[in-house]
Structure formats: structure tokens, C-alpha cells
Amino acid sequence: MRFADIPGLAAEKSVLINAVKNNHVAHAQLFYGLSGSGSLPLALAYATYLNCENPTAEDSCGMCPSCLKMDKHIHPDIHYIFPKAGKQKEADNSNVSADLLSTWRKFLIDQPYAELQDWADVSGLGSKQLSISKDDSKHIIKTVSMKAFEAKYKVMVIWIPEAMNISAANTILKVLEEPPTQTLFFLVSNDYEKLLTTIISRTQLFKVPGFDESEITNYLTSQHNIGENLAGQAARVAQGSMRAAIKIAGQVEDDSHKLFRDWMRECWTLDILNINKRMGSFNDLNKSSQKTLLLYGLNMLRESLVYQIASTAPMSGSDEESSFIMKFADSVDANKIEQLAGILNTMHLHLERNGNAKIIFLDSSMQIASVLRRK
């Protein structure tokens, strides 16, 4: 991963590059940004730049042995800790099995903007509780105590450090504060406030903002061959998350509009039988698809409100979506749209907290019906 592979974030890239040029590299850095942001790619690009044998003023060379190994995530001096389910079989003096490590490397290549649920799905860990254990922390201490094989800096990348239990976090406090010479810690967090304050106090915070709509649109069209209209729509819904935009672009065209439209109609008519059937269908979706549907619905509500206020044509890509937005906006007032958005946001929050999808959907559907049918 190189800086050039990451869209936008010019200011953040410049800060990191200047830190290297001015010899002000922090020994423990906490990259934090929303889920699906560029925080992990940026940390990986920074590690690549630090150990590049022929860096330029703006990026790593991409051609030296160190860069080529970083492209495949097989550099012997770059180590990874990530959430797992329980204990994994040890192999090759690692704290994870060889198969899981291989899966992790492929995961980084295929989904650099991934969320924790993506990792759970890809690794086969499914709905299991993922965490970073005390054994992982012991592995960190053992790993950083060894000499680097070939790089200038040994880097320990900890992805989703908020998944560390208290015992694991306490175990690494000393080494995090005083790591061995030329050893760096990159913690990549989606919600750093869940970390122990003693962890936060030992790191240099580095905020990674979400991507803007044009950056997401350009990335989807150039890297994923997605049409500009659909890419733009996904970018508007994604709220700065590249991963959300990729998922939305893949699903909106197929079924999100129909699902949301029919759901609203069933709530409007209080069609209990079909609401109950849809509850089962919603539960069968994986968590990412459930959240994508809610994000899509929030965008439809937003565009309905914009249409009410400005009377301008909806920005969505298809005629069917535009027709729905205009009809919906003519049927509900701004106050109802605000209440509906609040319900969808609450659903999203409860899903994030691993609430029961069936209960969340049924309860929210009754709330939506109450708002829509209110005179």
C-alpha cells in the first residue's frame, strides 16, 4: 500500500511524510477514523514509506524489495494483531494459525477499507465475539523484543485496538510507552474512546477524516468500474465511508430500492402479514446488508426533504427512485421525515450493538407505521 493508492487525504499524507523528513516519527501512533475510512490504508502506506529504500518527496518508490513485500503484506518486520474468536492453533511461532494469517493478508489486499464484520465474514468467524486477548498482548511483547530482520523500523499494526480486553490492554502499557529502539506501534481504531485512557495517553492521536463525495465517486468509477451515476449515489449515502460506498453500489442497483420502497408501503398500510415476512427476510441478511439498507433509506428520506424544500429534481440516478422520492415527499411533512430518520438511525445503532435483528425490525416497523399513518 502506497499513499498514491489512497484517494484524497492530501493533508494527512503530508503530515506523515514531513514527520519522517523531520525525524519526528512518533513511536506509538493512534490512527482513528470512522468505520470504512482510510485509517488502515494510511497506516499501511506510512509503514511502507518509513521502510522504503528509495522514497521520493511524496511517496514510497513501490519498486524496492521492501515495497514489494509490503504490497503483499509479507514483510518480516511488519507485524499484525487483529481481533479473533478465542484461541487459534499456533504455527510458525505466531499467535495465529498459518491459514488465518494467509486469510488476513488476502483480506488486506482485497478489502483495504474493510469493517470488522467484513473480517468476521471472510475469516469464517461469523457471528462469534471477536477480541484481542491477553495472549495476543504477550505475543506483541515477544515479537517487539526481537531484532528486526532487515527493515529500519519494526512496525506492530494493531487493528481495532478497542477490541482488547482490559487484561490485554494493561499487559502492553509498558512496552507501548517505552518500546525497543526503532520499534513503532500503529493502532488503527474506529472508536478510540472505547480504549483505556492509559492506552490513549501513550499514543499520538492522528485523526483520519472521511472521504468526500468526489473522492469516493472517482474511486468507485476508476477502481471498481461502477457507472458514474450509481457511484455518485453511493457516495452520497456512504457518509464518508469508502467501504459503505462499495457495498451500497453493489446492492442499491439490485435490491435496496425495492426493499425500502416495499417496506414503507407495508408500514403505511399496516400490512402486518407482509411486515412479519419481511422481518424474517431482514434477519436473513448479514449485518452489513442490514446497515446498507438503512443507510439507503436515510438517503431517500434526505432527498425527500430536499425535494420538499427546494422543489428540485432528486439527485438519485434512476427514474424509479426519483418517482418514489417525489411521491413520498408529497405524502409526508418535514416533521414526519425527521421522525422516520430518527427511527432508522436508532435501528442502525442497535444493530451496531448486536441487538436482535428481528426484534429491532418489528419494533421499528410499528414505529414507522405509527408516524406514517398519523393524521
Side-chain angles (χ1 to χ4, degrees):
M1 178 69 69
R2 302 173 64 229
F3 289 124
D5 298 324
I6 307 169
L9 304 179
E12 288 68 34
K13 295 172 184 177
S14 178
V15 168
L16 295 174
I17 290 170
N18 286 332
V20 178
K21 292 178 179 178
N22 298 324
N23 198 28
H24 289 158
V25 177
H27 71 269
Q29 199 137 320
L30 176 56
F31 295 80
Y32 67 99
L34 59 88
S35 181
S37 72
S39 51
L40 178 58
L42 202 60
L44 296 176
Y46 189 31
T48 302
Y49 188 77
L50 282 163
N51 286 323
C52 178
E53 298 171 17
N54 302 297
T56 68
E58 297 179 346
D59 210 340
S60 50
C61 72
M63 298 298 293
C64 68
S66 177
C67 286
L68 294 176
K69 291 172 185 175
M70 283 299 298
D71 272 347
K72 298 179 181 178
H73 305 291
I74 57 173
H75 198 296
D77 295 312
I78 310 299
H79 305 275
Y80 301 98
I81 292 292
F82 44 84
K84 306 187 300 298
K87 289 189 176 182
Q88 302 292 327
K89 181 181 178 182
E90 293 190 359
D92 301 328
N93 296 318
S94 171
N95 73 319
V96 296
S97 70
D99 287 344
L100 191 59
L101 188 56
S102 176
T103 301
W104 169 256
R105 288 167 174 157
K106 186 176 186 303
F107 174 71
L108 289 181
I109 294 171
D110 294 343
Q111 303 188 49
Y113 301 99
E115 303 172 341
L116 183 58
Q117 186 59 47
D118 295 317
W119 168 238
D121 293 340
V122 166
S123 61
L125 300 176
S127 59
K128 295 179 181 179
Q129 184 68 38
L130 304 186
S131 64
I132 295 174
S133 68
K134 186 175 182 179
D135 285 343
D136 291 308
S137 292
K138 291 179 179 178
H139 174 73
I140 291 172
I141 294 172
K142 178 181 177 181
T143 300
V144 300
S145 67
M146 301 176 184
K147 291 184 178 181
F149 285 93
E150 57 189 56
K152 179 180 180 182
Y153 291 100
K154 177 184 292 184
V155 183
M156 176 64 69
V157 180
I158 306 177
W159 186 57
I160 315 293
E162 55 268 32
M164 285 191 291
N165 58 42
I166 294 177
S167 179
N170 285 329
T171 300
I172 66 168
L173 288 179
K174 182 174 178 60
V175 72
L176 194 62
E177 185 172 20
E178 298 179 1
T181 304
Q182 301 299 94
T183 298
L184 306 177
F185 282 89
F186 291 169
L187 283 67
V188 182
S189 172
N190 293 334
D191 192 358
Y192 82 95
E193 292 182 351
K194 290 182 179 178
L195 289 166
L196 295 181
T197 55
T198 46
I199 292 286
I200 297 174
S201 66
R202 286 164 169 77
T203 61
Q204 181 182 85
L205 298 181
F206 190 84
K207 183 176 182 180
V208 182
F211 295 102
D212 64 37
E213 290 185 10
S214 63
E215 291 166 350
I216 293 176
T217 300
N218 291 337
Y219 182 83
L220 293 180
T221 55
S222 62
Q223 301 299 315
H224 290 265
N225 298 316
I226 293 171
E228 189 169 348
N229 285 340
L230 181 56
Q233 179 184 343
R236 289 192 293 274
V237 179
Q239 300 178 336
S241 168
M242 187 66 77
R243 181 58 184 146
I246 293 169
K247 290 187 289 188
I248 290 166
Q251 294 180 13
V252 165
E253 190 172 43
D254 298 329
D255 55 16
S256 283
H257 173 66
K258 184 178 184 301
L259 287 173
F260 183 73
R261 180 200 65 198
D262 293 347
W263 181 27
M264 292 300 101
R265 287 176 177 172
E266 290 158 4
C267 290
W268 195 297
T269 59
L270 199 58
D271 186 346
I272 300 298
L273 180 61
N274 279 319
I275 287 175
N276 191 55
K277 290 180 180 179
R278 192 167 298 280
M279 175 181 67
S281 299
F282 184 80
N283 186 63
D284 290 340
L285 297 173
N286 61 39
K287 185 179 292 187
S288 295
S289 297
Q290 292 168 350
K291 289 158 61 177
T292 295
L293 175 61
L294 297 180
L295 290 173
Y296 177 82
L298 285 168
N299 187 60
M300 291 295 98
L301 294 177
R302 170 186 170 275
E303 295 212 19
S304 297
L305 185 59
V306 170
Y307 176 74
Q308 279 186 350
I309 296 172
S311 296
T312 56
M315 298 175 66
S316 294
S318 73
D319 293 338
E320 188 177 0
E321 286 174 316
S322 296
S323 175
F324 171 81
I325 290 168
M326 291 186 287
K327 290 178 180 178
F328 193 83
D330 290 338
S331 303
V332 295
D333 57 28
N335 183 53
K336 287 186 176 181
I337 291 177
E338 182 179 358
Q339 292 178 59
L340 294 173
I343 294 170
L344 295 188
N345 273 315
T346 301
M347 286 184 71
H348 194 281
L349 177 63
H350 288 165
L351 288 172
E352 285 279 1
R353 295 177 176 176
N354 294 319
N356 184 291
K358 282 187 175 181
I359 295 175
I360 293 170
F361 183 85
L362 183 58
D363 181 63
S364 299
S365 295
M366 294 302 100
Q367 293 181 47
I368 292 170
S370 177
V371 171
L372 291 175
R373 294 165 61 83
R374 188 182 304 142
K375 301 298 183 181

